[in-house]
Amino acid sequence: MIGGMANSPISAPTPRAASVATERLLLRPVRQADVPAITRLWTDPQVRHHLGGPVAEQVVRIRQRRVVGAPGVHAVVRAADGVLLGIVTVEPEAREGETEVSYQFLPEHWGHGYAREAVAAVVEATLAGTPSVVALTQEANHRSRRLLEAVGMTHVSSFVEYDAHQVLYRRSR
């Protein structure tokens, strides 16, 4: 679900934040032109492998109408060429009152450190305005677990939810 942050200053993202920038990336509100790539995130079997599988067509249509400018949903684009790589979502008070960060990236952009960079930037910025941030991933999602640990999050609990073994990570100020 959820990278190394560049040493550039960023402002704390609020649910309606305009953008967050890192050395290589711009995290900004979703635009209409982003919808086809984001639809791929919701329907790609590789992306959705640890997220319960591809989203049903009816749900995709509803999400397509709601994602543009949605509070807390950041389109992650490569600053050099504007290519959409994925999304990072910030949900205040999502899990027992704590802010939850989640992410999805298109498979062709995996392994380049983009997710780690984007997630690290969002976690750092979010911690400026909230005492802690959590992230949830499946126990079997080893890549996501390594990413969460790389951005300073700590495994705090394991449990079964959504018919799968889950792990909850937290980072506090």
Side-chain angles (χ1 to χ4, degrees), residues 21 31 50 77 94 122 136 138 159 161-162 170-171:
R31 300 175 183 160
H50 294 290
V77 297
V122 169
L136 177 71
Q138 284 189 7
F159 50 91
E161 188 175 74
Y162 310 116
R170 177 179 293 119
R171 181 160 165 205

Side-chain angles (χ1 to χ4, degrees), residues 95-169:
R95 189 167 283 276
E96 297 183 19
E98 289 186 279
T99 299
E100 184 173 354
V101 173
S102 62
Y103 68 93
Q104 298 175 50
F105 278 72
L106 293 167
E108 62 267 28
H109 304 299
W110 294 356
H112 300 283
Y114 296 129
R116 186 178 250 202
E117 186 174 327
V119 172
V122 169
V123 166
E124 288 292 329
T126 301
L127 284 171
T130 188
S132 63
V133 176
V134 297
L136 177 71
T137 192
Q138 284 189 7
E139 186 176 282
N141 191 344
H142 300 290
R143 290 178 79 156
S144 186
R145 294 183 70 183
R146 282 193 306 271
L147 186 152
L148 295 172
E149 291 165 4
V151 302
M153 298 187 92
T154 304
H155 174 239
V156 293
S157 65
S158 299
F159 50 91
V160 175
E161 188 175 74
Y162 310 116
D163 297 324
H165 291 275
Q166 308 287 334
V167 287
L168 182 72
Y169 283 82

Side-chain angles (χ1 to χ4, degrees), residues 18 35 38-40 46 53 84 101 105 115 127 145 167:
V35 172
I38 292 173
T39 298
R40 277 192 54 218
Q46 281 183 279
L84 188 133
V101 173
F105 278 72
L127 284 171
R145 294 183 70 183
V167 287

Side-chain angles (χ1 to χ4, degrees), residues 12-80:
T14 62
R16 299 194 187 278
S19 64
V20 174
T22 71
E23 183 178 318
R24 300 184 298 165
L25 307 173
L26 175 64
L27 287 76
R28 58 158 173 76
V30 174
R31 300 175 183 160
Q32 188 62 43
D34 301 328
V35 172
I38 292 173
T39 298
R40 277 192 54 218
L41 289 170
W42 298 329
T43 59
D44 184 286
Q46 281 183 279
V47 174
R48 301 293 304 173
H49 179 73
H50 294 290
L51 297 170
V55 176
E57 188 175 325
Q58 180 179 3
V59 174
V60 167
R61 285 194 305 271
I62 293 167
R63 286 184 177 184
Q64 287 171 328
R65 290 191 302 265
R66 295 181 179 169
V67 72
V68 175
V73 181
H74 299 275
V76 180
V77 297
R78 197 166 37 214

